[in-house]
Amino acid sequence: MALETWLIKVKKSIAHSLDSVRASAPRAKPAVIKKSSVGVLAFEISGLMSKLLHLWQFLSDKNMIRIRNESICLEGVRKIVSNDDAFLLGLACAEIVENLRLLAKSLSRISKRCEDSHLRNFDRYFSEFANTGRDPYNWVLSLKDMDSKIKKMDQYVTATALLHRQMDELSVLENSLKKASNSHFKDSDISSIKEQKIIELRQKFLWQKQEVKYLKERSLWCRSFDTVTSLLARSIFTTLAKIKLVFGINHGYPNSLPRSLSASATVYPSENHNTCNFVSGPLVKPPVFNEFFESNTKMLKPPSSTLGAAALALHYANLIIVMEKMIRSPQLVGVDARDDLYSMLPNSIRSSLRSRLKGVGFSASDPVLAGEWKDALQKILGWLSPLAHNMIKWQSERSFEQQNIIPKTNVLLLQALYFANQDKTEAAITELLVGLNYIWRFEREMNAKALFECTNFNNFLTLKRSSN
C-alpha cells in the first residue's frame, strides 16, 4: 500500500513537471511568407519603366507646345498628309494612347504573378478607367506624387542597367577563372605564375560577386511583383489621366490629377485649318465609353489612299533619301546607280515618269534650265525629305532588335510618310525624277564637253610643239 502511494506521487510529480515545461517553452512563431522577388524579370520590367518614363517626358509642356506649333505645321505634313488640325492632333493622341496601351498590356502579364488580387486584375481596372474614368482604388497620383514616382523609377532603371553590366562582367570573370584553373603546366616557374593569376582572378571574382549582390538589393531584382506592379500601375493610370487632360478628352479623368498645366501646354485645334493658332474646344469627339482604346486603334488605321495602307511608306522613304543624295551630287552618279534607282520604282511611278519624259530631247545643255531644275528640286526636298527621314527613324526604333531600347526621338507617325496621300507623294517623286534626269544628263554633257575641249587643246599644243 505504501509502495502504491509512493508510485502515485511520482506519477503526479512527473506529469506536473511536463506541464510546467510545456508552459514555459516559447511558442513557435508563425512562418513569415516572403513574397517572391522578380529576379531575372527585372530587366524586362526595367525596359517597361524606361518606356513609361520616356512617354511621361513626351507629355511635357514643352513637347506638347512643339507638337501644336511645329509638328502639325510642317510644310510636308500640310501638303501630303492633311491640313486639318483636329485630325492631325487626333493622330498624335491616338498614337500616344496606343503606346501606353501596349505598356499596360505588358504589365498585365506581369501582374498575374502578384499576391494582391487587385493588382492581378490590373488589366480589367485599367480598361474600366479608360472607358469610364472610374478609379475605385485611387491609383491616379497627383502631379507632385507622380514626380516622386518618376525619380524612384529612374533610380531603379539606372541600378538595374548597372546590375546587367556587372553580371556580364561577373560571368566573364567566372569563365576566365575556370579556364585558368583547368590549364596545366609542367614548368614550375610557369605553374607558380599561374597560381598567382588564379588567386588574383578568384579575388576579383569574389569582389564582383559582392558588387552584384549589392546591386541586386538596390535594383528591381529583389523587389516583389506586388511592389513593381503597384508602382507601374499607378504611374500608367496617372499617365492616361494626363493624356486625357492634355488632349482635351473631357470624359472620365479623375479630379485627383491637378489641372495645373498652363493653357499654352494643352492641345486644342483651331477653327481655321490654315493657321496654327489654337482656341479652346474638344480635340475630337469623345469616344463611346466602352470603346476608348478601340477608337484610338481604329484612328491609327491608315485610309486606303495612303502609303501606309499600300505598305509603301518605308520603301518610298528609302527611295526619296537615295534621290536626295543623287541630287546633291549628280556628277558622281554612275549609270549603274541610275539603273538601280530605276529598279526601285513601282509600276505606277514608272508609268507616270514615261509619260512625263515623252517628247523630251536627248540634249541637256541649257545651264539656265539646269539651274531652275536644281532650285525646284531643293524646294521639293525641303518639305518631302524630312518626312522620309522621320519614317526611317520611326521604323528603326520599332524594329525587333530595338524594342527594348528607349526611343531616342519624339517622332510621331503624322510627321512621317505613313499617312501621306499616295497620289500626291508619287507626283512629287515623279517630279524629282524628271528633274534629276535633266541635271544628271546636263552634268554628263558638261563633263564630256570639258573633256573634249581639253583633249583638243592638248592636241593643239602637241601640233604646235612639233611644228616648232
Side-chain angles (χ1 to χ4, degrees):
M1 186 69 180
L3 179 61
E4 184 179 353
T5 304
W6 181 79
L7 288 174
I8 292 171
K9 289 181 179 180
V10 171
K11 184 179 178 181
K12 289 181 178 179
S13 177
I14 292 172
H16 179 72
S17 299
L18 289 173
D19 290 341
S20 63
V21 169
R22 290 192 191 101
S24 61
R27 293 184 179 180
K29 294 181 179 179
V32 178
I33 301 173
K34 186 178 180 181
K35 294 182 179 180
S36 59
S37 59
V38 300
V40 72
L41 287 176
F43 304 121
E44 180 183 345
I45 294 169
S46 176
L48 293 181
M49 284 188 177
S50 297
K51 292 177 181 179
L52 184 57
L53 289 171
H54 181 267
L55 186 56
W56 181 260
Q57 292 166 358
F58 187 81
L59 292 169
S60 67
D61 291 7
K62 181 179 179 181
N63 203 50
M64 291 299 101
I65 293 172
R66 183 185 65 80
I67 290 175
R68 190 192 67 181
N69 294 336
E70 298 177 19
S71 298
I72 70 170
C73 296
L74 288 173
E75 185 180 1
V77 171
R78 294 286 172 173
K79 282 182 179 293
I80 61 175
V81 178
S82 175
N83 61 357
D84 186 331
D85 297 339
F87 172 72
L88 294 172
L89 291 172
L91 288 180
C93 179
E95 186 174 355
I96 295 170
V97 169
E98 178 65 10
N99 291 337
L100 185 65
R101 186 190 69 81
L102 294 175
L103 283 175
K105 184 178 179 181
S106 298
L107 179 61
S108 175
R109 179 170 47 82
I110 294 169
S111 70
K112 301 307 179 186
R113 297 170 177 256
C114 292
E115 295 182 9
D116 189 325
S117 60
H118 297 150
L119 294 175
R120 285 201 302 271
N121 291 313
F122 161 76
D123 53 346
R124 180 163 63 86
Y125 294 135
F126 184 61
S127 179
E128 183 181 353
F129 173 69
N131 294 331
T132 67
R134 288 188 68 249
D135 181 17
Y137 301 107
N138 297 318
W139 281 353
V140 175
L141 302 165
S142 67
L143 291 180
K144 182 179 179 181
D145 289 340
M146 184 61 179
D147 288 340
S148 176
K149 298 297 183 185
I150 290 293
K151 291 178 182 177
K152 193 170 187 178
M153 285 192 288
D154 190 45
Q155 291 170 355
Y156 277 146
V157 169
T158 302
T160 305
L162 183 57
L163 171 65
H164 189 276
R165 291 195 296 270
Q166 296 298 334
M167 288 180 73
D168 284 345
E169 191 172 336
L170 179 65
S171 179
V172 171
L173 284 172
E174 186 177 14
N175 291 333
S176 299
L177 183 58
K178 286 180 180 179
K179 186 177 180 181
S181 300
N182 293 332
S183 58
H184 300 284
F185 300 95
K186 294 182 179 179
D187 192 304
S188 59
D189 293 336
I190 296 177
S191 181
S192 62
I193 294 172
K194 174 200 151 184
E195 290 177 1
Q196 183 63 31
K197 182 181 178 182
I198 291 174
I199 292 172
E200 292 176 358
L201 280 173
R202 186 176 291 114
Q203 188 62 50
K204 287 182 180 179
F205 175 75
L206 292 174
W207 285 341
Q208 191 67 21
K209 200 172 182 180
Q210 285 296 113
E211 179 67 15
V212 168
K213 182 181 178 181
Y214 169 72
L215 286 172
K216 282 183 177 180
E217 293 172 354
R218 283 188 57 206
S219 68
L220 290 167
W221 187 282
C222 290
R223 306 282 84 77
S224 68
F225 283 99
D226 287 61
T227 299
V228 297
T229 300
S230 176
L231 178 58
L232 280 166
R234 302 194 74 181
S235 300
I236 287 175
F237 265 63
T238 308
T239 303
L240 180 56
K242 186 171 183 180
I243 291 172
K244 288 185 176 184
L245 176 63
V246 167
F247 284 93
I249 302 174
N250 297 319
H251 81 282
Y253 58 80
N255 294 327
S256 57
L257 181 71
R259 305 183 189 185
S260 59
L261 296 175
S262 62
S264 60
T266 53
V267 180
Y268 295 114
S270 170
E271 296 295 334
N272 183 359
H273 295 166
N274 297 321
T275 65
C276 291
N277 298 317
F278 293 82
V279 296
S280 61
L283 172 64
V284 289
K285 183 179 179 181
V288 180
F289 282 177
N290 62 353
E291 296 180 353
F292 180 76
F293 288 120
E294 291 83 351
S295 63
N296 281 281
T297 302
K298 288 177 182 177
M299 191 164 190
L300 288 176
K301 184 179 179 180
S304 58
S305 60
T306 62
L307 295 180
L312 287 170
L314 190 61
H315 181 72
Y316 279 12
N318 286 309
L319 179 62
I320 291 165
I321 291 172
V322 169
M323 288 191 292
E324 181 183 26
K325 293 177 181 178
M326 289 183 171
I327 291 169
R328 190 180 297 123
S329 304
Q331 69 279 4
L332 301 179
V333 179
V335 175
D336 291 341
R338 188 169 178 264
D339 292 341
D340 290 340
L341 174 64
Y342 187 78
S343 66
M344 293 176 67
L345 303 179
N347 292 331
S348 55
I349 292 184
R350 290 186 185 185
S351 176
S352 61
L353 181 61
R354 282 194 293 267
S355 63
R356 283 292 310 276
L357 292 178
K358 279 182 180 179
V360 176
F362 292 100
S363 176
S365 56
D366 187 347
V368 176
L369 183 57
E372 290 176 351
W373 266 119
K374 287 180 180 179
D375 292 340
L377 296 183
Q378 290 303 323
K379 288 180 181 178
I380 296 173
L381 286 175
W383 59 263
L384 185 60
S385 177
L387 272 62
H389 286 279
N390 284 341
M391 190 70 245
I392 299 295
K393 291 177 184 176
W394 188 94
Q395 183 64 37
S396 64
E397 288 182 353
R398 286 153 183 83
S399 64
F400 181 78
E401 295 81 3
Q402 302 292 322
Q403 283 182 358
N404 291 323
I405 298 177
I406 307 172
K408 296 179 181 178
T409 65
N410 289 328
V411 174
L412 293 170
L413 273 177
L414 70 91
Q415 301 167 266
L417 292 174
Y418 190 76
F419 289 103
N421 181 275
Q422 183 175 353
D423 292 339
K424 292 180 180 179
T425 307
E426 290 183 348
I429 291 174
T430 302
E431 199 70 12
L432 288 175
L433 289 168
V434 173
L436 177 61
N437 174 68
Y438 187 88
I439 62 173
W440 180 78
R441 290 191 294 114
F442 175 78
E443 292 291 340
R444 287 178 68 86
E445 288 189 21
M446 291 301 101
N447 289 337
K449 183 178 179 181
L451 182 62
F452 178 76
E453 291 176 351
C454 182
T455 302
N456 286 342
F457 182 71
N458 289 335
N459 291 336
F460 172 75
L461 291 177
T462 301
L463 289 173
K464 188 173 182 180
R465 289 194 190 100
S466 60
S467 64
N468 293 334

